[in-house]
Amino acid sequence: MPRKSPFKHHRFPREIILCAVRWYLRFPLSYQDVIDLLSERGILVDRSTVYRWVQKFGPELTKRTEKHLRRASVDWHVDETYIRVGGKWRYLWRAIDANGQMVDFRLTARRDAKAAKAFLNKAIERVRLHRPVTIVTDKAKAYRRVIREINHRYDPHFDSIRHVDRKWRNNRIESDHAAMKRLLGYRQSFRSLRSAKATLSGIETIRTIKRGHIHQKQPGVLGEIQFVSQLFTTA
């Protein structure tokens, strides 16, 4: 049975919606910037419409890209950074592998052992078929405790996940945080956790596509456009 088209009841065609969403997620643009770029092409859209497109199709893009992802390596780098949501600082937990491929992210109100445990369990559940062999973190004590608990759950007599808590070893994800924040530009303050999660989900997925961490993608920006278009082709 064919999947129901997510573009049903939308006034604008699929190509325009996907173009606007991809622009917003790939470049450090505001909603007004996207509106102006569309206006130059004779397409008149208001800001709230583009916002709704990003909120709907960002997570949908992530969902449809899942089965095309390359398998993440077993060496992970885990760290947290922060962004403003609803006028308050919230913690963005992120994990990437040794090749820079995004493993998972989670946005929380607190930075403690409970949040670290929820994030790592979610990330391990997402990869399903293989757990990490090494997790590199900074010296935050919460990670040491959580990784020890995870190891005990899988095998009380063997540390299946090796924890490396050397801050200099985690420069890879620190650099990735900086690159992601440059992409956010002045959009680093979100209205709500829901809108932040939807937007970040789309941004992380577009970055994954751009970096070639997926199967069956042609090189360059034209390959990105083609891949995204094919994801949303209705059977």
Side-chain angles (χ1 to χ4, degrees), residues 37-213:
L37 288 169
L38 290 173
S39 296
E40 289 181 4
R41 292 155 176 79
I43 303 165
L44 301 181
V45 187
D46 59 53
R47 187 178 304 185
S48 61
T49 298
V50 177
Y51 169 78
R52 288 195 296 270
W53 289 349
V54 171
Q55 296 303 296
K56 177 177 180 179
F57 291 98
E60 184 68 23
L61 175 66
T62 300
K63 187 193 309 181
R64 292 176 181 238
T65 303
E66 285 280 347
K67 64 181 180 181
H68 300 279
L69 293 174
R70 297 185 184 277
R71 176 174 290 188
S73 77
V74 293
D75 298 313
W76 291 8
H77 296 260
V78 176
D79 192 31
E80 72 283 345
T81 185
Y82 50 88
I83 59 174
R84 290 188 73 84
V85 179
K88 298 179 180 179
W89 290 111
R90 300 302 186 204
Y91 294 95
L92 178 62
W93 304 75
R94 303 175 71 242
I96 63 173
D97 74 358
N99 301 313
Q101 180 173 335
M102 170 57 58
V103 176
D104 206 354
F105 78 92
R106 186 180 179 89
L107 195 59
T108 65
R110 297 180 180 277
R111 180 178 179 259
D112 53 20
K114 183 178 180 181
K117 182 177 181 179
F119 170 62
L120 284 177
N121 283 332
K122 175 174 174 281
I124 292 172
E125 173 62 22
R126 188 186 184 203
V127 297
R128 292 178 182 274
L129 297 179
H130 60 289
R131 297 194 299 273
V133 171
T134 303
I135 295 181
V136 182
T137 71
D138 58 20
K139 288 187 173 294
K141 294 181 180 179
Y143 289 120
R144 188 180 306 117
R145 172 184 164 189
V146 169
I147 293 173
R148 185 167 60 244
E149 289 178 0
I150 291 173
N151 278 330
H152 185 78
R153 185 172 76 240
Y154 287 121
D155 187 342
H157 307 292
F158 177 68
D159 288 345
S160 58
I161 300 174
R162 185 169 68 95
H163 180 209
V164 179
D165 58 348
R166 298 289 184 272
K167 188 173 178 62
W168 63 272
R169 289 282 300 274
N170 228 14
N171 290 339
R172 177 180 293 276
I173 194 167
E174 293 283 358
S175 299
D176 200 70
H177 285 334
M180 190 270 293
K181 284 194 169 185
R182 283 196 299 271
L183 182 58
L184 285 177
Y186 54 83
R187 304 176 298 179
Q188 293 186 32
S189 182
F190 295 92
R191 299 178 185 177
S192 65
L193 281 173
R194 181 179 178 182
S195 65
K197 289 175 181 177
T199 304
L200 290 169
S201 174
I203 287 174
E204 295 286 16
T205 301
I206 284 291
R207 294 182 75 222
T208 295
I209 294 171
K210 178 184 176 182
R211 292 175 169 186
H213 294 147

Side-chain angles (χ1 to χ4, degrees), residues 196-235:
K197 289 175 181 177
T199 304
L200 290 169
S201 174
I203 287 174
E204 295 286 16
T205 301
I206 284 291
R207 294 182 75 222
T208 295
I209 294 171
K210 178 184 176 182
R211 292 175 169 186
H213 294 147
I214 53 173
H215 298 288
Q216 301 173 339
K217 172 194 166 291
Q218 298 300 316
V221 68
L222 294 181
E224 297 171 34
I225 295 170
Q226 181 186 47
F227 178 79
V228 172
S229 179
Q230 289 175 345
L231 288 179
F232 288 90
T233 300
T234 305

